[in-house]
């Protein structure tokens, strides 16, 4: 059976466009709500598997309030639509545990990817994660999937088990989002997921087939951590 999806979006044209895209992918759009009150009625009366919620409708965080309602009263998963990527909005949204974020404006490919990421995450045990921008998506990257990070000036490459993400940030800033007990700086330009290290010596760590350099400035910390 097709996945049943409801859309909560205060821009009618965008909501209808989103519906056409979803229908074209074979999903079943069972309802559209243009405001918070209509969404609450839709939750009560409509069968659905997944909700797409605009974060900012009417009052600034109506979408986030609806997300809390889905969590507490309906136990239904959802993804967020948003034009905002400021830290305050993201932190408020993150508390609700959305399965994915979709940044406006988005293409039909972005929408399809966001839905598929959400459906895949629905079946995965909830873990700690970091939000990473990937095109028009803010996606959950589970910490356990991160292998290591490599910095190049104002960019950081985040290497995971199945993809590499390029982020416009410093390594220091990126590491500040991660738990210190799970990630270790080994070099000015490198940091690793401690659990992924398979071997080490005084010059490098081994993660998969990759040799991660260890600098003189970090060797004592690395040795202390691994007891070598």
């Amino acid at each position: 059976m097709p996945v049943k999806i409801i859309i909560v979006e205060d821009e009618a044209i965008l909501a209808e466009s989103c519906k056409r895209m979803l229908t074209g992918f074979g999903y079943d759009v069972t309802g559209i709500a243009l405001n918070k009150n209509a969404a609450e009625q839709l939750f009560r009366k409509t069968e659905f598997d997944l909700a797409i919620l605009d974060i900012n409708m009417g009052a600034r965080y109506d979408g986030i309030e609806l997300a809390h309602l889905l969590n507490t009263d309906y136990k239904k998963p959802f993804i967020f639509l948003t034009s905002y990527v400021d830290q305050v909005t993201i932190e408020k949204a993150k508390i609700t545990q959305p399965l994915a974020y979709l940044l406006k404006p988005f293409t039909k490919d972005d929408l399809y990817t966001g839905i598929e990421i959400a459906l895949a995450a629905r079946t995965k045990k909830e873990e700690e994660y970091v939000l990473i921008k990937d095109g028009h998506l803010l996606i959950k990257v589970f910490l356990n999937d991160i292998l290591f990070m490599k910095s190049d000036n104002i960019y950081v490459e985040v290497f995971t088990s199945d993809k590499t993400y390029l982020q416009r940030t410093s390594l220091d800033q990126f590491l500040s989002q991660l738990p210190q007990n799970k990630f270790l700086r080994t070099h000015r330009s490198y940091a690793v997921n401690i659990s992924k290290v398979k071997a080490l010596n005084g010059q490098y760590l081994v993660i998969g087939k990759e040799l991660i350099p260890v600098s003189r400035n970090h060797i004592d910390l690395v040795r202390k951590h691994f007891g070598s």
Side-chain angles (χ1 to χ4, degrees):
M1 293 181 62
V3 175
K4 295 179 174 62
I5 299 175
I6 61 174
I7 301 168
V8 182
E9 165 59 59
D10 62 352
E11 297 180 42
I13 294 176
L14 179 56
E16 287 295 333
S17 175
C18 188
K19 178 181 178 179
R20 287 194 298 271
M21 293 179 193
L22 292 171
T23 302
F25 289 130
Y27 302 119
D28 182 7
V29 178
T30 57
I32 293 176
L34 301 180
N35 56 57
K36 182 182 176 183
N37 290 337
E40 291 174 345
Q41 294 180 31
L42 200 59
F43 294 167
R44 289 195 297 270
K45 299 178 180 179
T46 306
E47 184 179 351
F48 64 99
D49 302 307
L50 179 74
I52 298 176
L53 303 177
D54 184 11
I55 288 181
N56 300 94
M57 301 181 299
R60 180 158 171 76
Y61 296 119
D62 272 359
I64 294 177
E65 292 182 14
L66 289 172
H68 283 297
L69 183 64
L70 286 175
N71 282 334
T72 57
D73 291 8
Y74 298 94
K75 310 301 181 184
K76 294 288 187 178
F78 55 90
I79 70 174
F80 276 134
L81 297 179
T82 182
S83 301
Y84 301 88
V85 292
D86 62 278
Q87 192 66 27
V88 173
T89 298
I90 293 302
E91 287 303 316
K92 286 181 178 293
K94 186 176 178 180
I95 293 172
T96 66
Q97 296 291 305
L99 294 182
Y101 298 76
L102 188 61
L103 304 181
K104 301 177 185 178
F106 54 85
T107 67
K108 64 179 182 180
D109 290 336
D110 295 328
L111 180 61
Y112 178 74
T113 301
I115 295 291
E116 289 301 305
I117 287 173
L119 295 176
R122 181 178 59 176
T123 63
K124 186 171 183 177
K125 182 180 179 181
E126 190 61 39
E127 305 171 7
E128 290 184 278
Y129 64 89
V130 63
L131 293 174
I132 288 184
K133 188 174 181 181
D134 185 25
H136 286 93
L137 295 172
L138 273 177
I139 68 172
K140 286 182 176 181
V141 174
F142 294 99
L143 299 189
N144 192 52
D145 290 337
I146 297 176
L147 303 177
F148 65 95
M149 291 139 277
K150 179 181 178 181
S151 173
D152 182 10
N153 197 11
I154 60 171
Y155 291 95
V156 172
E157 290 181 280
V158 182
F159 293 82
T160 73
S161 49
D162 59 1
K163 187 173 181 179
T164 301
Y165 300 94
L166 184 64
Q167 303 297 293
R168 195 176 191 278
T169 185
S170 69
L171 186 54
D172 283 337
Q173 289 175 325
F174 190 80
L175 285 172
S176 70
Q177 305 175 66
L178 306 177
Q180 294 182 4
N181 64 325
K182 294 185 178 181
F183 293 87
L184 180 67
R185 189 80 169 261
T186 67
H187 186 279
R188 179 182 62 185
S189 301
Y190 287 86
V192 301
N193 183 334
I194 294 167
S195 68
K196 303 300 181 181
V197 175
K198 302 303 180 184
L200 68 154
N201 63 23
Q203 297 180 314
Y204 57 81
L205 305 176
V206 180
I207 296 181
K209 296 181 179 180
E210 300 291 334
L211 303 182
I212 311 301
V214 177
S215 70
R216 291 181 179 178
N217 290 338
H218 295 84
I219 185 61
D220 289 342
L221 182 61
V222 170
R223 283 175 173 167
K224 179 179 179 181
H225 185 86
F226 288 100
S228 60

